[in-house]
């Protein structure tokens, strides 16, 4: 492989090409060559010495895994048709302009994963102009995306973040040619992982096949080849548990409702939002089979669930001698046994292996022998009863045994969140005991929060166990412009280059890569585009230059004001360096549930981050006092970027991607202003300044309604679609009511409450959606400030419990409501943004 041309300063790798000029300025990017592949012997010499069980995995076992993966792959013809299908759905006008070719014997890619882009010479009119070759259909789709991006100036993002900008693609017959021979791009690491175990609830829960098909296409275009595939597992569990004499009635008390399945699966809760109807179970299983079929056609390796020990309470009676433990309370307000607490079967119990094996085999019966990689997180913030390494090792060995008895090729994929969230327990000896409890190559760890809190740096790269460098980025599916672009552009490279790194692309141990593990999707498209590219980059990205190309592609034209705006955004909103997990706590969407007398005026005015406590088995942070919104940048500078966006509006107003970004940036600027107004109101209350309180209260409530109007002008910031898609899956009126309640509850109160105590997780999944601001956030703040003003007028203390009683009653009614909300935008987003900028920032 040759190094990239000096004319292509930011590119990934090229081959058979020396002087490729840029088809579009700044686009034809190619990386420098990847490091040479190292022999297995060198790898084994470099790795820390694992115990005998781990060392037992030699070349024969690793080669067997590769052979098994090859047996499961779809045929070259099937994958080529699948790649052509992605093109046809994305750009039907150019369905004949590209030819796809799988490279099954390594003639193009050798032992690596790659795509190769070249011209089709002598093509007849209306025929193929560009040939894309690769190992799998994912590589073919990635090559298509790379060509469209860096030769045609295309941008592809989720529909709810503005969608695809395809207007810049030349007509069929006029596509830009690749100069010289070809461009080849290799993956520096083989895997590109996707999803968090809770994304299925925060984002995918109400999807039908049409939406899933678009997502799988997006995944393929981004190069994702290792997706989590958790849909429909309850139907499989139903069959498995029935074989152990667990009844449907028992399972009604075990499965959570549709919007809360992720936490029922993790053993955090049971029955909340349920029960699940047979319609739901059958519907989701059928959907999963379509999802998996398409993933396999595209050459992806789906990650299926495995048994983590979570069992129905009925198992206590059915198996009285089994070691089944009742877990502790998880975020309930009063420990109500209707949904608290769950039961876990000890991995050391023989029944654990029986159930685990049965689940793997039932999945293989339903889906076929399609994968060898299974997720299991038994210890995810669920501390073992002792820190004795020998015991921890035995537990890990038992978990893996349950998998391998069901599938002899099984590889255990584990989230590494526990090593961060419970670092006091997981010291070096405990980590090694767990990580080395299975043979090297049979476990893969997700360094889940590597973009902010990388564990690989403090654990000698997980003590020799292959891992995936992951970006967590989002909690609860919140809408917040936020990112750590510098970390994303350099972190995976630093990890791969580090001494003794198990991320290096080894021929015999391909279980390493990069990944995206956000709790919710469809926000911050710039972050996800850059992170996806890191799967194909072997050098650090110069972010400022990359953003110039990004802004051109996203809006379909070059604009000086937009480039300046993105330069500011890069150094402010997308340059968080404080190491704090960004969970949106803006006061509009997470209104403080406290008495104003509980904090002083001086305290309220300080720019601080509240102390937080991590709750067991929950990916996120729960405030222990006044939730202080996360602020890591100069709001004044961010407002300057908004002003530049507005100046560019006349030439970009028809662009859906521009409109999305404009609305999002205006929303964020106004929300941060509202945080200050809230604190000003509290300061006035502390000073007993009634007129000041009334002034700031009016401004805060006005800001909510102005943001409501702004969000209503873009289809992607509406509450209506969330509720309507939930109801669309229902087959009976009871299901319709249940699904709507689930959808409403998740984005508001989330979990249980009493008449005078809100859910501990209220607003965890808050959303800046039109409809939600007007009907939920505005009434809440209004009720609070009305009582606050009255307490000053009547010269008595604020009656917090009275407000809670009033507000919780209103919330519960709203959660059970049936009122309809718009599913289409109204208003001119640019005109509204300009008006609000003039009102609040001039």
């Amino acid at each position: 492989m040759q190094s990239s041309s000096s004319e292509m300063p930011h590119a990934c790798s090229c081959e058979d090409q020396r002087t490729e000029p840029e088809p579009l300025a700044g686009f034809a990017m190619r990386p420098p060559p990847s490091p040479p592949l190292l022999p297995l012997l060198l790898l084994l010499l470099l790795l820390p010495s694992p115990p005998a069980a781990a060392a037992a995995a030699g070349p024969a076992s690793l080669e067997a895994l590769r052979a098994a993966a090859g047996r499961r792959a779809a045929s070259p013809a099937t994958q080529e048709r699948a790649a052509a299908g992605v093109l046809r759905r994305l750009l039907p006008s150019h369905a004949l302009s590209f030819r796809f070719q799988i490279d099954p014997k390594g003639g193009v890619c050798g032992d690596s994963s790659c795509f190769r882009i070249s011209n089709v010479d002598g093509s007849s009119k209306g025929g193929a102009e560009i040939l894309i070759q690769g190992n799998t259909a994912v590589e073919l789709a990635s090559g298509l995306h790379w060509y469209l991006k860096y030769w045609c100036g295309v941008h592809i993002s989720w529909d709810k973040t503005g969608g695809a900008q395809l207007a810049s693609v030349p007509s069929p017959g006029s596509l830009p040619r690749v100069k010289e021979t070809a461009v080849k791009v290799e993956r520096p690491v083989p895997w590109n992982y996707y999803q968090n175990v809770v994304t299925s609830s925060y984002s995918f829960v109400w999807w039908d096949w049409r939406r899933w098909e678009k997502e799988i296409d997006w995944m393929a275009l981004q190069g994702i080849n290792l997706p989590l595939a958790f849909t429909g597992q309850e139907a499989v569990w139903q069959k498995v548990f029935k074989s152990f004499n667990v009844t449907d009635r028992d399972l009604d008390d075990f499965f959570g409702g549709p919007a809360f399945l992720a936490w029922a699966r993790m053993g955090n809760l049971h029955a909340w939002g349920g029960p699940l109807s047979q319609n739901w179970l059958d519907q989701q299983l059928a959907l999963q089979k379509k999802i998996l079929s398409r993933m396999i056609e595209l050459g992806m390796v789906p990650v299926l669930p495995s048994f983590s020990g979570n069992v129905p309470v009925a198992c206590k009676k059915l198996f009285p001698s089994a070691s089944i433990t009742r877990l502790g309370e998880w975020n309930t307000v009063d420990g109500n046994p209707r949904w608290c607490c769950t039961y876990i079967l000890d991995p050391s119990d023989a029944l654990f292996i029986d159930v685990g094996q049965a689940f793997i085999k039932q999945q293989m019966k339903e889906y076929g022998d399609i994968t060898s990689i299974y997720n299991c997180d038994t210890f995810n913030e669920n501390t073992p009863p002792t820190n004795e390494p020998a015991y921890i090792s035995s537990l890990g060995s038992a978990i893996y045994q349950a998998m391998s008895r069901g599938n002899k090729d099984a590889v255990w994929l584990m989230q590494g969140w526990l090593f961060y969230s419970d670092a006091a327990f997981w010291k070096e000896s405990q980590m090694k005991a767990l990580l080395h409890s299975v043979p090297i190559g049979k476990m893969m760890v997700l360094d889940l929060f590597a973009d902010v809190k990388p564990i690989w740096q403090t654990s000698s790269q997980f003590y020799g166990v292959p891992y995936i460098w992951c970006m967590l980025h989002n909690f609860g599916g919140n809408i917040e412009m936020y990112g750590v672009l510098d970390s994303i552009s350099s972190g995976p490279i630093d990890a791969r280059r580090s001494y003794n790194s198990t991320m290096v692309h080894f021929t015999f141990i391909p279980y390493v890569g990069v990944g995206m593990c956000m709790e919710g999707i469809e926000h911050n498209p710039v972050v996800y585009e850059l992170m996806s590219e890191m799967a194909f980059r072997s050098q650090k990205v110069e972010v400022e230059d990359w953003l110039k190309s990004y802004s051109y592609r996203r809006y379909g034209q070059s604009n000086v004001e937009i480039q300046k705006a993105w330069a500011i955004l890069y150094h402010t909103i997308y340059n968080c360096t404080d190491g704090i997990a960004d969970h949106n706590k803006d006061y509009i969407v997470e209104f403080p549930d406290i008495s104003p007398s509980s904090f002083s005026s001086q305290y309220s005015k300080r720019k601080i981050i509240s102390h937080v406590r991590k709750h067991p088995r929950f990916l996120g942070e729960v405030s222990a006092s006044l939730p202080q919104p996360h602020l890591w940048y100069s709001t004044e500078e961010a407002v300057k970027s908004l002003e530049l966006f507005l100046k560019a509006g006349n030439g970009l107003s028809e662009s859906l991607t521009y409109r999305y970004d404009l609305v999002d940036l205006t929303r964020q600027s106004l929300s941060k202003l509202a945080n200050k107004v809230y604190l000003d109101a509290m300061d006035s209350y502390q000073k007993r300044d009634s007129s000041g309180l009334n002034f700031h209260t009016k401004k805060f409530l006005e800001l909510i309604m102005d943001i409501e109007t702004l969000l209503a002008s873009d289809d992607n910031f509406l509450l209506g679609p969330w509720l309507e898609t939930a109801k669309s899956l229902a087959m009976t009126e009871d299901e319709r009511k249940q699904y709507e309640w689930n959808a409403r509850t998740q984005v508001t109160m989330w979990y249980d409450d009493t008449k005078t105590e809100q859910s501990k997780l209220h607003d965890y999944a808050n959303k800046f959606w039109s409809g939600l601001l007007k009907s939920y956030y505005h009434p809440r703040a209004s009720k609070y400030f009305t009582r606050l003003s009255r307490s000053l007028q009547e010269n008595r203390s604020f009656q917090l419990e009275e407000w809670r009683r009033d507000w919780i009653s209103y919330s519960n009614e709203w959660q059970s409501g049936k009122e309809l909300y718009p599913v289409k935008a109204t208003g001119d987003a640019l005109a509204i943004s300009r008006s609000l900028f003039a009102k609040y920032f001039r």
Side-chain angles (χ1 to χ4, degrees), residues 415-423 426-427 431 435 445-463 467-470 495:
Q415 291 188 151
W417 179 260
L418 69 168
F419 302 131
Y420 163 71
S421 64
D422 198 5
W426 293 102
K427 303 295 187 183
M431 285 184 69
L435 295 173
V445 182
L446 300 177
D447 197 354
L448 205 69
F449 205 13
D451 53 326
V452 177
K453 301 288 186 182
I455 300 299
W456 68 266
Q457 292 180 343
T458 57
S459 64
S460 299
Q461 293 84 32
F462 292 92
Y463 306 109
Y467 69 99
I468 292 178
W469 192 102
C470 294

Side-chain angles (χ1 to χ4, degrees), residues 65-97:
L65 289 175
R66 295 186 69 195
R71 290 195 304 271
R72 296 184 178 97
S75 69
T78 297
Q79 294 195 56
E80 289 166 2
R81 286 194 298 270
V86 173
L87 169 62
R88 186 175 61 253
R89 289 183 290 275
L90 175 70
L91 202 60
S93 59
H94 291 67
L96 301 178
S97 299

